[in-house]
């Protein structure tokens, strides 16, 4: 055994994905596979607290475009087809009008097929960085969250901080609780916010950073928040295929990997408990796995009804995907939620997101 070649974690991940995703996606898997193994595209989330005007002009000269602004400017003329297929025991609320989007979120991407890379962000005259580089698809859950002026928001699994930063960029959040169970990860989150947000906008009464077990949050602050983002730990598919460091497919982490769906369900249920009646909970991952995506949503919605007596409706996000179909490659035929698929011409994702509304 000592003389056999060591199988790396990335190879184990690829073997696992070939078996599971090969079955899940069929003939689509080879295209998704090669995209996952290729260089990822990024977006530049503009920091509204910096001197952004000249920065935006420079990005436009390079050929980048604000995909959020373009979606808002697009005329909504065609009726959006609404899906009627849902999981057993799960109700879906059909969308009847175009989604509202925060006008303050600005995220630049290069067009499909353009693999130009963004330069590292620079400090402006006030010592703040002008933009944050992230997978542009990770902005979609924040847009779907639809934070409105005066809302209280919980980001239950906030680190490393890209989505937290996007929530703050809406400039609509009255109070934000940003939590992560890892103290080291919340330390990184603090450093990121310090690089982008002026001190007067990140005081403790406005942005509260904590390191609690997110599964207990429903007991700590139930029926409290207008909006809850539950961006759970997952197999982080792209990272698992490309990086050995902190890879969940390391043999010593096999039990952790196997229990991910349970952890995800518990976190989502805690997020539902933390939301106000009528509030929105947004569940998201960066995996293609049905076990970590739709099945987790179904399990949490069922548990909320049976264990808590709380009814949750899943909202139709097809109008949102229609707005952004020119930027992202969305999976077709999703039963619940939406999934951005990696594609060589638009190599973002994977990003799964599902919008739930607590009814009572």
């Amino acid at each position: 055994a000592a003389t056999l070649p060591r199988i790396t974690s990335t190879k184990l991940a690829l073997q696992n994905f070939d078996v599971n995703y090969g079955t899940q996606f069929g003939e689509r898997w080879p295209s998704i596979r090669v995209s996952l193994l290729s260089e990822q595209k990024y977006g530049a989330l503009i920091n509204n607290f910096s001197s952004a005007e000249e920065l935006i002009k420079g990005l436009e000269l390079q050929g980048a475009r604000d995909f959020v602004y373009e979606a808002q400017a697009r005329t909504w003329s065609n009726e959006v087809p609404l899906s009627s297929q849902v999981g057993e025991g799960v109700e879906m609320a059909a969308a009847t009008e175009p989604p509202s989007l925060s006008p303050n979120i600005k995220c630049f991407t290069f067009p499909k097929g353009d693999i130009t890379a963004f330069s590292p962000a620079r400090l402006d005259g006030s010592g703040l960085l002008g933009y944050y580089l992230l997978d542009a698809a990770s902005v979609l859950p924040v847009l779907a969250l639809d934070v409105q002026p005066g809302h209280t928001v919980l980001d239950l699994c906030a680190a490393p901080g890209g989505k937290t930063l996007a929530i703050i960029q809406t400039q609509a959040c009255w109070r934000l609780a940003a939590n992560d169970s890892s103290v080291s990860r919340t330390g990184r989150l603090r450093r990121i916010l310090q690089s982008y947000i002026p001190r007067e906008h990140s005081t403790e009464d406005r942005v509260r950073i904590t390191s609690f077990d997110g599964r207990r949050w429903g007991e700590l602050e139930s029926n409290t928040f207008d909006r809850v983002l539950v961006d759970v730990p997952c197999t982080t598919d792209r990272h698992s295929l490309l990086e050995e460091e902190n890879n969940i497919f390391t043999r010593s982490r096999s039990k952790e990997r196997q229990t991910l769906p349970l952890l995800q369900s518990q976190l989502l249920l805690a997020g539902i408990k933390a939301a106000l009646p009528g509030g929105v909970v947004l569940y998201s991952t960066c995996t293609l796995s049905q076990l970590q995506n739709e099945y987790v949503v179904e399990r949490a919605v069922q548990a909320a009804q049976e264990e808590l007596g709380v009814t949750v409706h899943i909202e139709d996000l097809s109008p949102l995907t229609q707005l952004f179909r020119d930027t992202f490659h969305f999976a077709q035929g999703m039963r619940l939620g939406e999934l951005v698929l990696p594609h060589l011409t638009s190599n973002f994702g994977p990003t799964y997101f599902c919008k739930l509304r607590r009814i009572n």
Side-chain angles (χ1 to χ4, degrees):
T3 62
L4 289 175
R6 176 176 173 269
I7 300 178
T8 63
S9 301
T10 52
K11 287 184 178 179
L12 282 175
L14 186 58
Q15 291 173 4
N16 180 285
F17 295 165
D18 279 338
V19 172
N20 292 296
Y21 297 159
T23 301
Q24 180 178 332
F25 293 102
E27 62 183 15
R28 291 178 294 169
W29 171 236
S31 172
I32 299 169
R33 184 185 195 268
V34 72
S35 301
L36 279 171
L37 292 169
S38 301
E39 187 172 355
Q40 181 180 16
K41 285 191 75 169
Y42 284 87
L45 176 68
I46 300 299
N47 182 14
N48 292 315
F49 298 100
S50 69
S51 305
E53 190 172 333
E54 288 300 318
L55 176 64
I56 289 174
K57 288 180 181 178
L59 292 174
E60 290 173 339
L61 287 173
Q62 295 176 53
R65 56 188 177 84
D66 180 355
F67 78 86
V68 182
Y69 174 79
E70 287 195 352
Q72 290 172 317
R74 188 176 298 119
T75 303
W76 190 263
S77 57
N78 299 320
E79 183 178 348
V80 178
L82 302 178
S83 171
S84 59
Q85 289 189 330
V86 297
E88 183 179 351
V90 177
E91 290 190 58
M92 177 177 285
T96 57
E97 58 184 21
S100 61
L101 300 176
S102 169
N104 296 317
I105 291 183
K106 305 176 184 68
C107 188
F108 280 76
T109 59
F110 288 101
K112 282 187 176 181
D114 187 338
I115 59 172
T116 303
F118 289 98
S119 302
R122 295 181 179 180
L123 296 173
D124 66 4
S126 59
L128 298 175
L129 292 170
Y131 54 72
Y132 181 85
L133 295 180
L134 76 177
D135 185 330
S138 64
V139 175
L140 295 176
V142 178
L143 291 170
L145 195 61
D146 188 26
V147 180
Q148 296 295 316
H151 276 168
T152 54
V153 181
L154 168 63
D155 188 351
L156 192 60
C157 311
K163 294 182 181 69
T164 310
L165 190 59
I167 291 171
I168 296 174
Q169 294 303 320
T170 66
Q171 300 180 332
C173 182
W174 178 46
R175 285 181 182 169
L176 170 64
N179 179 73
D180 197 278
S181 60
S182 167
V183 175
S184 62
R185 285 167 63 87
T186 52
R188 180 182 173 188
L189 172 63
R190 288 181 188 276
R191 292 191 294 273
I192 287 176
L193 295 187
Q194 288 169 0
S195 299
Y196 289 88
I197 311 300
R199 288 185 179 180
E200 61 269 23
H201 290 276
S202 58
T203 54
E204 187 68 21
D205 62 322
R206 301 188 69 170
V207 181
R208 175 165 52 107
I209 300 176
T210 55
S211 296
F212 295 124
D213 182 344
R215 293 171 294 184
R216 303 291 302 277
W217 201 281
E219 303 167 18
L220 298 171
E221 290 183 304
S222 60
N223 309 315
T224 300
F225 297 93
D226 299 287
R227 298 288 187 265
V228 180
L229 176 62
V230 187
D231 183 42
V232 294
C234 65
T235 47
T236 53
D237 293 357
R238 195 182 287 269
H239 175 88
S240 294
L241 288 176
L242 300 177
E243 302 289 340
E244 284 296 317
E245 185 178 355
N246 196 32
N247 193 313
I248 198 167
F249 282 87
T250 303
R251 292 188 185 276
S252 61
R253 299 179 68 184
S254 59
K255 185 176 181 180
E256 178 187 351
R257 188 173 70 251
Q258 292 164 2
T259 57
L260 270 176
L262 175 60
L263 170 64
Q264 293 158 344
S265 299
Q266 292 171 334
L267 287 167
L268 180 52
L269 189 60
I272 292 170
K273 291 168 69 175
L276 285 164
V280 166
V281 180
L282 202 294
Y283 176 78
S284 67
T285 74
C286 51
T287 178
L288 299 165
S289 169
Q290 287 179 313
L291 288 175
Q292 299 175 64
N293 294 340
E294 297 103 314
Y295 294 164
V296 166
V297 173
E298 288 178 328
R299 180 186 298 179
V301 169
Q302 184 178 6
Q305 185 68 62
E306 295 178 354
E307 299 174 16
L308 307 175
V310 172
T311 300
V312 177
H313 285 179
I314 296 175
E315 300 206 343
D316 183 14
L317 288 170
S318 60
L320 190 78
T321 62
Q322 287 292 319
L323 280 180
F324 297 117
R325 65 187 183 276
D326 291 339
T327 302
F328 304 103
H329 187 70
F330 291 98
Q332 301 299 311
M334 294 291 294
R335 293 185 304 111
L336 301 172
E338 299 292 345
L339 175 64
V340 175
L341 294 175
H343 192 277
L344 282 179
T345 63
S346 180
N347 206 4
F348 302 108
T351 296
Y352 173 81
F353 56 109
C354 187
K355 185 174 183 177
L356 306 91
R357 187 175 295 275
R358 177 174 171 173
I359 302 303
N360 63 324

